[in-house]
Amino acid sequence: MDAYLTVPRKLEHAVLALQERLGKAPDIVCRRLVIPALDHRPAALVYIKGLVHQDSVQTAILTPLQDHGAPMPPNLIRCWWELLLPASPLEMEKDLRSLATRVLSGEAALLVQGEGRALAIQIQDPKGRDITEPSSEPVLRGPHEGFVESMETNLALLRRRLRTPELSILKRKIGKRSQTQVALVYLRDIANPLLVQEACQRLRRVEIDILLDSGQLEELCNDAPFSPLPTMRTTERPDAVAANLLEGRLAIFVDGSPGALLVPAVLFDFLSPPEDYYERYHLATFLRWLRLAALIFALVNEPFYVAITTFHQELLPTVLLLRTAGAAEGVPLPHALSVLLMDIIFEGLREAASRMPLAIGGTLSIVGGVVLGETAVRAGLIAADTVLVVGLTGVAAFASPAYGAANSLRLLRFPLVLAAAIFGMTGLAVGTVMVLTHLLSLRSFGVPYLTPLAPMNRRDWKDTLVRAPWWQMTTRPHLTRSGDVRRQRRWARPRPPDDMSGGQG
Amino acid sequence: MRRIVLALIVAVLAQGCWDRAEPRDLAYIMSLAVDRAEDGYTISAEVPLLASLGQGGGGQAGERRTMVLTATGATLTQAAEALGRLSPKRLHWGQLQALIVSESVAHEGLGPVVTFLLQQRQVRERTWLFVARGQAAALLEPEVGLVSIPAMGLNGLARFTPFHGATVTHLAWFVADWHADGIDPVSPLLEFDPDGRRRIAGVAAFANDRMVGALPADALRGYLWLTRHRGEAEAISCPNSKGSLVVQPWWIRQRTQIAQGSEVRITVEATVRVLEERCAISEESLSRQVAERARREIDAMLSWVHRAGVDAIGVGQQIHRQRPRDWAVVAPGWPRMLERLPVQVRVDVTIKLVPAGYPFSDREAKP
């Protein structure tokens, strides 16, 4: 292939060459026109219907070109476009290939007889949905805006929260065929330059034909490609991205995807949704502990149940054991199998419900939850406590605010149940140690996954195990070494004036 | 490589979960009675009928929830094996709530029984120990009552009886007191009352693991004073008028001191609560009466200790704690020494509460 091909000077050749590059398609429009101001030179406007803003073609290009009747003075003809098309952002393009790419991404190409170059006019139609609250991360308190599919809009949403010149945006295109815009966003004076360099390198390494969502990028830039645990965090909330940039993280936006990636991401990031920072800190701290407990519960509850009922009956309180044994009397399957079976049924129900239209979802949950569960127990096929254990595990798994982390843990419990079914508590202990070891070995962009527990950094506990009040969080977390460490002044605790009447007069 | 992986997988799957047991496949021994048979032991085990405990806790009131399996053998192990042959489910000792031994077995010594039980895997050391008046197996018989499982009834009897803490013994405590120097174990006596209900009748005292005898009623009250347990309420009659007062020890402090010349001085300080008041009495008079009675009861206990040579209240332990060196000298002959140990007792009683809420001084004004 030719490396660099300029736009031919002859209009007909230029149009043909460009059309050849664009491929034959009915939605490619080529409008012939004559520009009176340039001695009635013939010209052609090439664009793709649907990608450009139709009104802008008329008002921003055709009308100004036609209306300017008088010929241009020769000294100004060098930059005629600046006089004729002052309203639209435009760029000169000599390379035929990149011109074609621009047309394909929604710009209009104006080819003029004898120019040997083309004007790429940016009149893309920013078609897309309105800014709404992200359905995957709803909050009661806090901003309700969410990212949309358009990257420009998303970056604008972020800019609106970070009005600082230090906000850096590095853009590049990924996807041989999709040419998707990807933006790496960080705060120049806070983010660690090595981290930025690493992220750039990872993005550069990606060579894929099409990039549709940030989820693909997450897998392609992952630290531990075989781990079920996510080492990047996805969020659709501009406020979360802004807050994380201020903690020295990087955000990666993908055009066409409402989910921004945040790196590095450690385990505790998945347990603290943005709402934590807007609620009162007592409640936020309580909820953090609750989520942590739910996470551990979701992982070990079922294996623990299996191990204790099939190997260690003496550990159960007597009344509980008699209930369990009584409920299992006449049940055909052993405990471990019925737990696995119920788990698979539960996962099936969840999957079915998430793929169903909303109207049918309700019916499904009734059929699944009430009819199936109740009937299975009544018929004596499954013990009631098994249904309870599986149900509780499901609820606990979804108590994690990050869907990704919850999903991975749901998967991890299957091998643990197997280990518990074969080796009892020993199996569960060994399995848990293996999971822990894996957690300890994980790193996200160089940051250990269990930071700040291991390696221990007690200063950062103020925003992990507890959510310290805002007036105590005077420094940024030491996730990555960064320049500007201080978040606010020391001694920021609010207090009433010493003289109680002072406020009045 | 593939072969190694395969071998590993097979090794994991084929090793067979050897001690796996579904909870429904086990016969949980809830309580165990040990009686002396002609040549050996008869053991009776109460096991729950799981089907009656199943879905929703079903079953009607009065329905049998447990059954008793009985087997005899020359030794406890043989008896247990015979029991296993009777049971269609695997015997599981991990939920044993109560062990009842007959008096004859207790007199011979609980050592073999306790050792046998603690040898069973899974047995909880928190198993209540009772000595039965009469046949132990009879006391397992299901009763229609407040609890659905008779063994849980024994558990409740042990935990919620007024004697709780003073006389009730776990297997672990029994073993601890048995092997400890300067204290001998006790255990509650279980019997049927005239209406055929199980109740705690008294306290059996042991020398090492052998039952020596039951504490007489007044010695038992003395035992409670000395071991700082509240005991039951007593009626005190007023000197000048008819009627009586009901008082109960509320808070007791006991100190054992060893004076020079190895005389033991025991001080009991008690706060006594007045529960019912049906006659007028002054505070001093009341506390004097209570103190006198307490002293009588304590004396009864001490004279029982002297007679039996059994240190149920742990005087030796107190000496051991206070003067380890002296204890080392006297420890070998302690039971004999106990029989002629001079003891001085002092009882101080404070009256704490008055039911109607007005103080005694008002009472004294009008005789």
Side-chain angles (χ1 to χ4, degrees), chain A residues 310 313-314 316 318 335 422, chain B residues 15 21-22 55 95 97 124:
Chain A
T310 48
Q313 291 89 357
E314 65 277 7
L316 273 179
T318 308
H335 265 83
I422 297 173
Chain B
Q15 51 82 31
E22 288 297 317
Q55 314 288 356
Q95 297 290 341
Q97 299 288 314
R124 294 180 180 183

Side-chain angles (χ1 to χ4, degrees), chain B residues 63-314:
Chain B
E63 188 193 356
R64 276 182 80 94
R65 299 267 171 90
T66 58
M67 61 178 291
V68 176
L69 298 173
T70 304
T72 306
T75 61
L76 283 166
T77 310
Q78 283 170 350
E81 276 167 359
L83 204 64
R85 285 195 290 275
L86 286 177
S87 167
K89 297 183 172 194
R90 195 200 296 178
L91 295 183
H92 188 270
W93 299 83
Q95 297 290 341
L96 191 64
Q97 299 288 314
L99 167 69
I100 310 177
V101 290
S102 68
E103 261 182 298
S104 54
V105 175
H107 278 298
E108 282 172 21
L110 285 186
V113 182
V114 171
T115 318
F116 163 75
L117 271 184
L118 294 182
Q119 286 299 315
Q120 300 296 326
R121 213 164 58 84
Q122 314 140 340
V123 161
R124 294 180 180 183
E125 293 184 347
R126 291 171 57 96
T127 297
W128 300 108
L129 176 66
F130 297 96
V131 173
R133 282 238 167 100
Q135 201 201 1
L139 284 158
L140 289 186
E141 277 305 310
E143 59 184 11
V144 181
L146 294 170
V147 288
S148 52
I149 293 167
M152 301 306 280
L154 286 177
N155 185 3
L157 210 55
R159 283 162 59 206
F160 305 123
T161 165
F163 292 102
H164 175 222
T167 65
V168 152
T169 309
H170 278 147
L171 231 44
W173 297 342
F174 183 87
V175 174
D177 283 355
W178 166 17
H179 292 301
D181 272 353
I183 188 163
D184 286 311
V186 295
S187 153
L189 273 169
L190 196 66
E191 66 169 12
F192 281 119
D193 75 351
D195 293 335
R197 290 168 302 200
R198 294 184 296 206
R199 70 170 180 200
I200 290 182
V203 169
F206 289 76
N208 288 327
D209 66 327
R210 271 165 221 269
M211 180 172 159
V212 175
L215 293 185
D218 50 349
L220 175 56
R221 299 193 67 91
Y223 172 81
L224 294 178
W225 283 109
L226 288 169
T227 49
R228 305 191 306 277
H229 289 97
R230 209 178 277 170
E232 285 172 331
E234 304 181 63
I236 303 270
S237 53
C238 293
N240 302 328
S241 53
K242 273 190 231 166
S244 60
L245 279 150
V246 178
V247 295
Q248 188 182 29
W250 193 243
W251 182 84
I252 304 168
R253 201 165 101 168
Q254 188 257 83
R255 259 182 316 161
T256 304
Q257 283 168 310
I258 318 298
Q260 289 300 331
S262 67
E263 187 194 52
V264 177
R265 202 173 287 159
I266 296 177
T267 318
V268 173
E269 286 170 48
T271 304
V272 169
R273 203 170 61 142
V274 179
L275 297 180
E276 289 177 49
E277 188 187 21
R278 295 214 194 81
C279 59
I281 188 169
S282 72
E283 192 174 349
E284 294 94 81
S285 162
L286 179 60
S287 58
R288 202 171 50 243
Q289 279 202 52
V290 173
E292 270 168 25
R293 182 180 282 210
R295 167 188 274 285
R296 267 203 312 279
E297 290 163 350
I298 289 170
D299 283 343
M301 180 64 203
L302 289 174
S303 64
W304 190 88
V305 166
H306 283 310
R307 274 201 312 279
V310 169
D311 194 357
I313 43 179

Side-chain angles (χ1 to χ4, degrees), chain A residues 64-138:
Chain A
L65 286 181
Q66 303 294 326
D67 282 1
H68 210 284
M72 286 236 164
N75 57 340
L76 289 182
I77 210 149
R78 243 174 356 106
C79 47
W80 54 268
W81 54 87
E82 288 179 5
L83 290 168
L84 292 184
L85 302 168
S88 334
L90 43 77
E91 263 178 68
M92 231 5 139
E93 188 62 75
K94 276 188 178 171
D95 180 19
L96 201 55
R97 211 150 35 129
S98 53
L99 181 66
T101 312
R102 279 165 176 270
V103 172
L104 286 173
S105 51
E107 297 179 23
L110 183 65
L111 303 159
V112 183
Q113 168 75 30
E115 279 287 331
R117 53 192 177 171
L119 276 182
I121 310 162
Q122 291 167 25
I123 47 167
Q124 288 106 321
D125 189 7
K127 256 186 205 134
R129 60 188 174 92
D130 290 335
I131 295 171
T132 51
E133 171 150 36
S135 58
S136 58
E137 298 167 82

Side-chain angles (χ1 to χ4, degrees), chain A residues 26 32 115 119 127-129 147 159 189 250 254 257 277 327 331 342 349 359 379 402 417 427 444 476 480 490 494:
Chain A
R32 306 286 177 157
E115 279 287 331
L119 276 182
K127 256 186 205 134
R129 60 188 174 92
F147 287 135
R159 276 264 187 226
D189 57 339
L250 318 179
V254 174
S257 162
Y277 298 97
V331 170
M342 278 309 291
L349 274 175
V417 167
S444 168
R476 297 181 207 291
T480 56
R490 232 188 269 265

Side-chain angles (χ1 to χ4, degrees), chain A residues 58-282:
Chain A
Q58 195 62 45
T59 55
I61 304 175
L62 294 182
T63 314
L65 286 181
Q66 303 294 326
D67 282 1
H68 210 284
M72 286 236 164
N75 57 340
L76 289 182
I77 210 149
R78 243 174 356 106
C79 47
W80 54 268
W81 54 87
E82 288 179 5
L83 290 168
L84 292 184
L85 302 168
S88 334
L90 43 77
E91 263 178 68
M92 231 5 139
E93 188 62 75
K94 276 188 178 171
D95 180 19
L96 201 55
R97 211 150 35 129
S98 53
L99 181 66
T101 312
R102 279 165 176 270
V103 172
L104 286 173
S105 51
E107 297 179 23
L110 183 65
L111 303 159
V112 183
Q113 168 75 30
E115 279 287 331
R117 53 192 177 171
L119 276 182
I121 310 162
Q122 291 167 25
I123 47 167
Q124 288 106 321
D125 189 7
K127 256 186 205 134
R129 60 188 174 92
D130 290 335
I131 295 171
T132 51
E133 171 150 36
S135 58
S136 58
E137 298 167 82
V139 294
L140 289 177
R141 191 167 180 186
H144 292 277
E145 279 182 334
F147 287 135
V148 292
E149 279 73 10
S150 153
M151 190 168 84
E152 302 305 325
T153 316
N154 293 349
L155 290 176
L157 283 173
L158 186 63
R159 276 264 187 226
R160 217 174 287 164
R161 284 168 177 79
L162 289 171
R163 296 179 184 89
T164 162
E166 307 295 340
L167 184 71
S168 303
I169 303 176
L170 299 181
K171 277 194 187 175
R172 60 183 289 117
K173 281 186 175 154
I174 294 183
K176 218 181 282 174
R177 286 177 193 277
S178 65
Q179 293 287 324
T180 313
Q181 287 268 14
V182 173
L184 178 71
V185 184
Y186 60 95
L187 285 172
R188 202 174 305 137
D189 57 339
I190 292 177
N192 189 328
L194 288 172
L195 185 66
V196 177
Q197 202 183 334
E198 173 65 25
C200 283
Q201 257 176 22
R202 288 194 194 187
L203 288 180
R204 216 173 297 143
R205 274 206 300 265
V206 176
E207 274 186 34
I208 192 172
D209 53 352
I210 186 163
L211 189 65
L212 292 174
D213 189 78
S214 54
Q216 281 173 295
L217 204 58
E218 183 183 341
E219 261 182 56
L220 289 166
C221 299
N222 212 336
D223 279 74
F226 294 108
S227 171
L229 287 153
T231 49
M232 293 187 184
R233 191 176 148 206
T234 318
T235 182
E236 294 189 25
R237 307 194 61 88
D239 52 323
V241 173
N244 278 289
L245 291 184
L246 280 169
E247 293 183 351
R249 291 192 181 80
L250 318 179
I252 301 170
F253 287 87
V254 174
D255 195 27
S257 162
L261 294 176
L262 291 171
V263 294
V266 296
L267 183 69
F268 289 100
D269 290 346
F270 296 97
L271 297 175
S272 41
E275 201 176 8
D276 265 18
Y277 298 97
Y278 312 134
E279 286 287 356
R280 294 191 67 79
Y281 60 92
H282 317 86

